[in-house]
Amino acid sequence: MQQNSSSSEPIVSLHNVQKSFGALRVLDGVSFAVARGEVLALIGRSGSGKSTALRCIDRFEKVDGGEIVVCGHRVDRPDVNLRALRQDVGIVFQSYNLFPHLTIEQNITLAPCAVKGMATSQAKDLARKVLVQVGLEEKLHAYPEQLSGGQQQRAAIARSLAMQPKVMLFDEVTSALDPELTGEVLKVIEQLAADGMTMVMVTHEMGFAKGIADRIVFMHRGKVHETGPASILTSPTTPELTQFVGTGNLKS
Amino acid sequence: MGGHLNINHLMFLGQGALWTIGLSLIALIGGGIVGFVIALARISPLKSVRLAGAIYVQLIQGTPLLVILFLGYFGLAAIGLKVSPLVAAGASLTLYVAAYLGEIWRGCIESVPKPQWEAAEGLALSRTQRMVKVILPQAVRIATPPTVGFMVQIIKNTSLASVVGFVELMRSGQIVNNSLFEPFAIYAIIAATYFAMCYPLSLFSQRLERRMGRGRSNLAPA
């Protein structure tokens, strides 16, 4: 499905990343890298550190130690240019976080106009384009509250795409949705992967991860416990992943 | 003392009522502007600015308005700064209202869910853009009912300006009473006039709150 032959620098790389909340060590020497066009799925139990690792990539959390490089930005350094970083990185959250006072179109055009100085007419064309991409072109003038959860999440993905990021982060984007709505969101993400978008996703959807991810990172107690191609989900080598995949299968 | 309540007395009271409205507007506009600055200071990323805002709020909220008025009029005069009752009352009420509106608005800004900040941050908006385009429009909706409700307090509190000789509704009532000595009738008129100014605002605030309540339940995520 993807081309992993890209030999250039990784888009995202974490090296020996440390992060504590008070006395709790959430990330304990986490390292992984994501190449251009690659889809990486972060999986693990609640509290294993996977969401924190994802949030560190976009500097929503500051790390205590280690090195994070994202599209050439040294994210671990205090002097990182956050606005430049966030133009290169798109993030989609579990709770959609659309702006409730703006229409879907305004939600999408806000950042391209305000951050990139794009002309309004051009931004509106862009909004229509990204909404077509997520299958929501008819909702251009609707307000978020008029949309279902799945539609809101697709609109949030479209909003993120409009900034033309080099890498997309997905933080449990289907966890707030019922199974029926989960499907429509996953389909959009699959299409993005097929188009070659570089993605890092935290997910509980094991079947989805198996189908879409080029690589799986299984986190356990703040460490990368097992990593490999999607096939490790069917033939795990560590007892922890075996147990995790077992419970995951029971759940779905 | 003599005479009966006549049209001239009522005209005088009416003029006082207009000054009550005028002073309320001065307090609301002045206090609103300063209060907005206080609200922003209270959520500033700079600790020293946050602290300065907090100290201001605590000082004003811990001081009776009557004392602030005395300080503004008699206190300043004693150190050589002679100000008119209007200036003293307007400035004192502005300082007083700013502390309360600042706190109300800070609460409203902070009650916009944190993920809204994060989503705006994730889209590379600057702090000012996040505030102006994402947070404030939502905070204004939340802030409208309590702000309208607080205006009732402002109107009633302007009556304290009578002690520095500012002739608003309360003071004009006292003056009329001094010549007629019919305290029950006159103060009943004064009370009814305050009520007529405040009650519509109270009703309006309640209606806004109900409408907000409906809006909020609609906004709850699925």
Side-chain angles (χ1 to χ4, degrees):
Chain A
M1 202 154 71
Q2 274 89 39
Q3 297 174 330
N4 290 331
S5 55
S6 145
S7 59
S8 57
E9 289 272 287
I11 298 263
V12 175
S13 80
L14 283 77
H15 183 70
N16 196 24
V17 169
Q18 313 276 342
K19 170 77 189 170
S20 297
F21 290 125
L24 184 70
R25 177 159 285 203
V26 202
L27 299 180
D28 189 5
V30 170
S31 305
F32 60 80
V34 188
R36 188 180 303 275
E38 196 178 22
V39 177
L40 184 136
L42 281 168
I43 62 168
R45 283 200 191 85
S46 306
S48 61
K50 57 193 190 304
S51 266
T52 306
L54 188 86
R55 288 168 60 83
C56 285
I57 295 173
D58 209 9
R59 195 88 157 1
F60 280 115
E61 308 289 349
K62 284 181 201 160
V63 298
D64 302 329
E67 192 184 289
I68 303 183
V69 185
V70 178
C71 304
H73 306 283
R74 276 295 297 268
V75 181
D76 54 295
R77 291 204 178 138
D79 62 347
V80 60
N81 183 341
L82 284 178
R83 295 192 70 194
L85 168 72
R86 284 162 183 166
Q87 287 187 55
D88 287 339
V89 182
I91 184 162
V92 183
F93 303 91
Q94 181 181 335
S95 50
Y96 339 130
N97 305 349
L98 291 170
F99 306 133
H101 60 295
L102 300 178
T103 64
I104 298 304
E105 182 181 55
Q106 291 165 334
N107 261 277
I108 296 171
T109 56
L110 174 62
C113 290
V115 178
K116 294 186 166 175
M118 191 180 281
T120 312
S121 60
Q122 203 188 343
K124 284 185 173 178
D125 290 343
L126 178 63
R128 189 160 288 118
K129 201 187 102 195
V130 290
L131 279 178
V132 168
Q133 228 177 318
V134 300
L136 277 182
E137 60 273 32
E138 79 282 5
K139 298 296 183 188
L140 205 59
H141 300 294
Y143 281 90
E145 63 180 334
Q146 298 166 316
L147 270 55
S148 72
Q151 290 172 331
Q152 287 192 49
Q153 193 58 292
R154 281 147 64 200
I157 293 172
R159 179 174 72 176
S160 208
L161 284 175
M163 287 296 278
Q164 291 159 321
K166 294 183 180 133
V167 53
M168 293 272 285
L169 310 177
F170 294 91
D171 191 2
E172 297 190 30
V173 292
T174 59
S175 296
L177 300 173
D178 58 44
E180 211 179 323
L181 300 178
T182 297
E184 65 184 49
V185 173
L186 296 185
K187 217 182 281 171
V188 167
I189 299 175
E190 271 167 11
Q191 188 55 49
L192 282 178
D195 293 344
M197 176 63 80
T198 310
M199 300 194 273
V200 182
M201 58 180 70
V202 169
T203 183
H204 288 293
E205 302 283 332
M206 285 311 123
F208 176 65
K210 206 185 295 177
I212 194 177
D214 300 305
R215 216 144 44 80
I216 305 283
V217 168
F218 171 63
M219 292 196 54
H220 184 65
R221 293 186 177 168
K223 287 181 161 62
V224 175
H225 198 75
E226 187 171 344
T227 181
S231 59
I232 65 167
L233 292 176
T234 35
S235 48
T237 57
T238 60
E240 286 80 8
L241 182 55
T242 311
Q243 198 195 357
F244 179 75
V245 175
T247 55
N249 282 347
L250 279 179
K251 204 182 124 194
S252 65
Chain B
M1 316 230 186
H4 290 282
L5 195 65
N6 61 33
I7 188 75
N8 288 327
H9 295 123
L10 290 178
M11 295 265 287
F12 187 67
L13 291 180
Q15 210 172 23
L18 284 179
W19 271 113
T20 287
I21 293 170
L23 190 57
S24 302
L25 286 175
I26 291 170
L28 182 74
I29 293 165
I33 293 167
V34 181
F36 184 66
V37 175
I38 295 295
L40 291 182
R42 295 277 279 124
I43 55 165
S44 165
L46 298 173
K47 201 178 173 191
S48 53
V49 177
R50 280 203 305 274
L51 190 68
I55 290 172
Y56 176 84
V57 168
Q58 290 307 319
L59 271 180
I60 298 291
Q61 290 196 346
T63 314
L65 176 58
L66 194 55
V67 176
I68 301 175
L69 276 161
F70 271 43
L71 264 176
Y73 188 64
F74 303 113
L76 288 183
I79 59 169
L81 256 171
K82 189 91 183 91
V83 291
S84 71
L86 175 61
V87 172
S92 305
L93 277 162
T94 292
L95 292 181
Y96 175 80
V97 169
Y100 285 90
L101 279 185
E103 276 302 86
I104 292 174
W105 291 347
R106 173 190 62 84
C108 293
I109 292 171
E110 285 181 341
S111 71
V112 175
K114 205 158 168 264
Q116 289 284 314
W117 282 97
E118 286 196 342
E121 223 178 318
L123 289 167
L125 297 177
S126 70
R127 184 176 162 87
T128 310
Q129 288 171 338
R130 296 198 289 271
M131 190 57 116
V132 172
K133 294 179 186 287
V134 177
I135 304 302
L136 285 182
Q138 298 185 56
V140 165
R141 284 189 198 182
I142 305 170
T144 308
T147 304
V148 173
F150 185 68
M151 280 163 66
V152 174
Q153 304 295 322
I154 300 176
I155 292 176
K156 289 189 293 185
N157 276 331
T158 56
S159 62
L160 288 172
S162 60
V163 299
V164 298
F166 184 76
V167 187
E168 38 62 77
L169 181 56
M170 183 64 196
R171 183 80 192 126
S172 61
Q174 288 170 340
I175 292 169
V176 170
N177 184 51
N178 283 347
S179 72
L180 296 181
F181 203 66
E182 286 185 53
F184 186 79
I186 290 166
Y187 290 125
I189 292 172
I190 302 294
T193 311
Y194 276 115
F195 184 81
M197 288 192 251
C198 295
Y199 184 62
L201 276 180
S202 292
L203 271 187
F204 183 50
S205 166
Q206 278 169 24
R207 193 186 304 164
L208 281 175
E209 235 157 77
R210 272 202 303 274
R211 196 187 301 164
M212 280 283 311
R214 276 210 303 277
R216 213 174 284 160
S217 67
N218 285 344
L219 280 176

